[in-house]
Amino acid sequence: MRVEHARMHAKHRGHEAMHAEMVLILIATLVVAQLLLVQWKQRHPRSYNMVTLFQMWVVPLYFTVKLHWWRFLVIWIFFSAVTAFVTFRATRKPLVQTTPRLVYKWFLLIYKISYATGIVGYMAVMFTLFGLNLLFKIKPEDAMDFGISLLFYGLYYGVLERDFAEMCADYMASTIGFYSESGMPTKHLSDSVCAVCGQQIFVDVNEEGIIENTYRLSCNHVFHEFCIRGWCIVGKKQTCPYCKEKVDLKRMFSNPWERPHVMYGQLLDWLRYLVAWQPVIIGLVQGISYILGLE
């Protein structure tokens, strides 16, 4: 080990200036890329979201095939096939009445599975760091691999399903006519119709529903409970689907056990940048270093 360590130092002796240049290039590229991405997102959000979604979907596939992660590939193919079918249904015109429920049920299921998987993975990592894996006679490397794998699965599919859900939510709501991304809706909303799915509301706001309740926002528009929860949590919308008034998430999710789902959704939004754009930025830094002759 000492011999290899000495050889490494001998190999890199006198390269301090070059290493400093590489660090400066990395920092400058990160800053410039972040500024460009922020401007792109603010000026052209639709194209930004579509490109980010495509990268989120394809980039891990490249590393999966390259590193022979076949288990991940099987899950990715199954998720992609079902999501492609659901997205196809959500973008059809005219929209079938049962489609909004189907879409939100699928993405809400994936959201809950990814949330639970991420929590189990995080707990496994923490147990390993505190040495609790030894109580079950599990090797630290095996326990850590298990925890990190679950954490990756949970976070990756959590980010991916939220992006697809947001896209489907926009298409469906615009097709139904009670929502328009810019401008006024094309249809007048009745008090007995849910603007998210376009179906009748049979349970009064003050009544206790058998399957689900009816929820009234601060703007007085009413929705099916599952629809408005799917719209806000899964579809990442924080405004009323009809009048675009901001939704008070703290009032909507008064139960403290439900608030972690909101925080988890915010965490997934932050991780999107790490998964989708970080490999591109690192590749750009390597390209610049290669052009400048820095190794």
Side-chain angles (χ1 to χ4, degrees), residues 92-104:
R92 296 306 92 193
K93 293 183 180 181
L95 190 70
V96 180
Q97 286 190 349
T98 57
T99 297
R101 292 282 182 160
L102 170 67
V103 172
Y104 283 116

Side-chain angles (χ1 to χ4, degrees), residues 243-260:
C243 68
K244 298 184 179 63
E245 181 174 320
K246 187 173 179 60
V247 175
D248 187 358
L249 294 179
K250 291 183 179 180
R251 176 174 170 266
M252 183 175 175
F253 303 105
S254 57
N255 188 340
W257 292 105
E258 294 177 336
R259 292 183 183 177

Side-chain angles (χ1 to χ4, degrees), residues 211-215 223-230 252:
I211 300 177
E212 64 176 337
N213 298 324
T214 299
Y215 193 87
F223 306 90
H224 296 120
E225 182 183 9
F226 293 161
C227 288
I228 195 62
R229 287 173 181 267
M252 183 175 175

Side-chain angles (χ1 to χ4, degrees), residues 249-281:
L249 294 179
K250 291 183 179 180
R251 176 174 170 266
M252 183 175 175
F253 303 105
S254 57
N255 188 340
W257 292 105
E258 294 177 336
R259 292 183 183 177
H261 288 276
V262 179
M263 293 185 290
Y264 180 67
Q266 296 171 349
L267 172 64
L268 295 181
D269 291 339
W270 178 80
L271 285 171
R272 181 185 299 101
Y273 167 80
L274 185 64
V275 175
W277 293 108
Q278 198 69 13
V280 177
I281 295 174

Side-chain angles (χ1 to χ4, degrees), residues 58-91:
V58 173
V59 170
L61 178 62
Y62 166 77
F63 291 103
T64 298
V65 176
K66 184 178 181 179
L67 300 175
H68 307 294
W69 293 342
W70 306 124
R71 179 173 52 192
F72 177 86
L73 182 61
V74 171
I75 298 176
W76 184 92
I77 291 175
F78 173 77
F79 171 84
S80 299
V82 179
T83 300
F85 171 75
V86 171
T87 304
F88 175 81
R89 289 281 300 272
T91 54

